[in-house]
Amino acid sequence: MTTLPNTMDAAEKRSAALTDSYGRAITDLRVSVTDRCNYKCVYCRTGNEGAQYAELPIADYLRIVRIFVSLGIEKVRLTGGEPLLRKGLADLIRELAQLRTSTGEKLDLALTTNGHLLEAQAAQLKDAGLTRITVSMDAVDAATFERITRVPGSFERVLGGIRAAQSAGLAPVKINCVLLRGFNDNQIPLFARFAREEGVIVRFIEFMPLEEDRLWTPESVVPIREVITQLEAVRPVVRLQPNSHSETAVRYTFDDGVGEIGIIAPVSQAFCGQCSRIRLTSDGKIRTCLFSQFDHDLYAVMQRGATDDDLACFITRTVEKKEARHHIGEPGFLKPSRSMVHIGG
Ligand code: SAM
């Protein structure tokens, strides 16, 4: 059996109801509420529109999340596809905000969006009970941004969305930027200034082989040391303490304490040993790892008339199958059959 670094203490392991076979507490659920998207980001989608998309009724997502929460989930992140395209999203958030974790706390309820429709929806989402928001934004100049999203006018829309989220009380907004050699690796100092001036937390993420087109190579990943060097060209950086044991970002500020930058390096510095995540695809399948070769069809079980206890049992058994780690860059690595937009980022 593969062993993992011991990243949790015994008390944490005992108290976690949902635990995988390596002793990792699974507390973080990502739910994709649609696999439709209005952007065609080069590192994610081909841009070829399929007529088919997969969505469950909002009530079914709600039932599934309730069961996950009863088993020990503490954080729920809604994603997609593009979640703001999903009708009934605010209603789902309102219901989820009523749920309590097994220790009686409110759920940590977050959303990841491309921000295109955010300006009109930010206040409504906050009122419904959304706690936190992450906006994906891969450049701070309009031309580079639109070369990546392949949607004219998208930059101004996203900027408007970020500011609306801040005004609605969803600050600090987190910005996710996937770094891609030859597309946006010149944006790092601009993002440093953007973080400092706009009061957002910018997180640089390594490009992972989860795209529909075949774009990924080891050389397309921008190494962390290069990110740090480019940040240092703006001001010296200072490392911050992690917020939690399962935090994926290594956090930095600048020497004057203004601005926060995170670096998330799933490829070069994998954090599988601390992984606390599980995913539900928009068609109701559980994914135990982004790079898993398997889907576990929870919705098929539900449609056969399963009780909540049956579903809880299915979830618990599926979590036990969670992979030890991913194998990106190793000989024999197999790309998963689903791309990021169909898994839920
Ligand atoms: N549409 C929403 C958005 O743009 O944030 C949510 C879904 S999107 C698939 C979620 C996140 O996955 C985004 O931050 C996106 O940049 C990231 N992503 C997509 N493909 C990726 C890849 N191949 N490597 C790393 N991150 C990726």
Side-chain angles (χ1 to χ4, degrees):
M1 186 173 100
T2 314
T3 52
L4 290 173
N6 188 7
T7 52
M8 286 184 288
D9 63 32
E12 272 178 300
K13 282 182 186 167
R14 268 196 314 278
S15 66
L18 208 48
T19 306
D20 73 9
S21 62
Y22 300 98
R24 292 172 296 193
I26 304 304
T27 52
D28 182 350
L29 173 67
R30 302 204 158 200
V31 180
S32 173
V33 292
T34 180
D35 60 355
R36 281 182 292 155
C37 193
N38 42 1
Y39 280 9
K40 299 168 220 165
C41 298
V42 289
Y43 58 81
C44 188
R45 302 182 58 212
T46 57
N48 300 329
E49 301 299 337
Q52 296 286 320
Y53 57 84
E55 290 177 357
L56 305 186
I58 289 289
D60 289 345
Y61 291 122
L62 183 59
R63 178 176 173 206
I64 293 171
V65 176
R66 264 204 190 108
I67 297 168
F68 267 102
V69 170
S70 74
L71 290 171
I73 290 294
E74 295 164 0
K75 294 186 195 168
V76 174
R77 178 171 294 276
L78 301 173
T79 182
E82 173 45 43
L84 299 193
L85 288 172
R86 183 57 208 261
K87 201 161 172 276
L89 179 70
D91 299 332
L92 176 62
I93 291 173
R94 197 166 295 109
E95 295 288 341
L96 294 178
Q98 305 305 315
L99 300 184
R100 293 293 172 269
T101 67
S102 44
T103 53
E105 307 289 318
K106 284 178 104 165
L107 269 189
D108 182 1
L109 202 47
L111 177 93
T112 302
T113 170
N114 61 28
H116 193 80
L117 301 171
L118 188 55
E119 191 165 354
Q121 295 188 31
Q124 190 194 9
L125 298 176
K126 169 70 182 166
D127 288 349
L130 189 67
T131 339
R132 295 186 291 129
I133 196 156
T134 300
V135 179
S136 305
M137 184 183 179
D138 300 308
V140 281
D141 82 74
T144 308
F145 186 79
E146 289 166 22
R147 187 174 157 229
I148 294 173
T149 62
R150 298 187 279 194
V151 174
S154 50
F155 182 75
E156 288 303 324
R157 296 285 299 247
V158 174
L159 205 55
I162 292 169
R163 290 181 178 151
Q166 287 173 317
S167 308
L170 286 164
V173 172
K174 284 186 183 160
I175 305 291
N176 276 359
C177 167
V178 178
L179 284 174
L180 203 56
R181 178 71 74 211
F183 281 91
N184 61 354
D185 46 342
N186 62 350
Q187 298 285 305
I188 298 166
L190 302 175
F191 266 117
R193 292 191 191 97
F194 187 76
R196 291 166 60 78
E197 286 160 13
E198 298 279 334
V200 293
I201 299 173
V202 172
R203 291 146 22 119
F204 295 109
I205 303 178
E206 283 180 343
F207 177 34
M208 295 180 275
L210 286 166
E211 76 286 21
E212 286 178 350
D213 274 333
R214 295 218 162 256
L215 212 65
W216 193 91
T217 60
E219 295 70 40
S220 63
V221 179
V222 180
I224 293 173
R225 64 181 175 284
E226 183 177 326
V227 180
I228 303 281
T229 307
Q230 289 208 40
L231 291 173
E232 296 260 357
V234 176
R235 273 193 93 98
V237 297
V238 178
R239 180 116 174 225
L240 292 168
Q241 291 296 318
N243 286 316
S244 70
H245 90 277
S246 61
E247 187 162 61
T248 52
V250 179
R251 298 161 60 233
Y252 297 88
T253 184
F254 294 91
D255 62 344
D256 59 357
V258 178
E260 184 177 326
I261 305 286
I263 299 181
I264 304 180
V267 178
S268 64
Q269 293 187 8
F271 33 78
C272 306
Q274 292 103 291
C275 185
S276 56
R277 291 186 192 163
I278 194 96
R279 288 180 158 81
L280 184 78
T281 62
S282 63
D283 56 353
K285 294 178 175 138
I286 301 176
R287 304 265 318 172
T288 46
C289 170
L290 270 177
F291 295 95
S292 179
Q293 295 299 319
F294 310 102
D295 284 336
H296 302 272
D297 199 345
L298 181 69
Y299 199 58
V301 180
M302 196 164 147
Q303 281 183 306
R304 289 199 292 270
T307 63
D308 286 2
D309 283 347
D310 297 334
L311 295 174
C313 189
F314 184 90
I315 291 169
T316 308
R317 282 207 311 266
T318 301
V319 165
E320 284 167 8
K321 296 179 189 149
K322 186 171 165 67
E323 294 78 353
R325 62 187 184 89
H326 70 64
H327 296 274
I328 302 173
E330 295 174 20
F333 168 73
L334 273 182
K335 222 172 124 166
S337 56
R338 288 190 189 226
S339 59
M340 193 68 137
V341 69
H342 295 291
I343 296 172

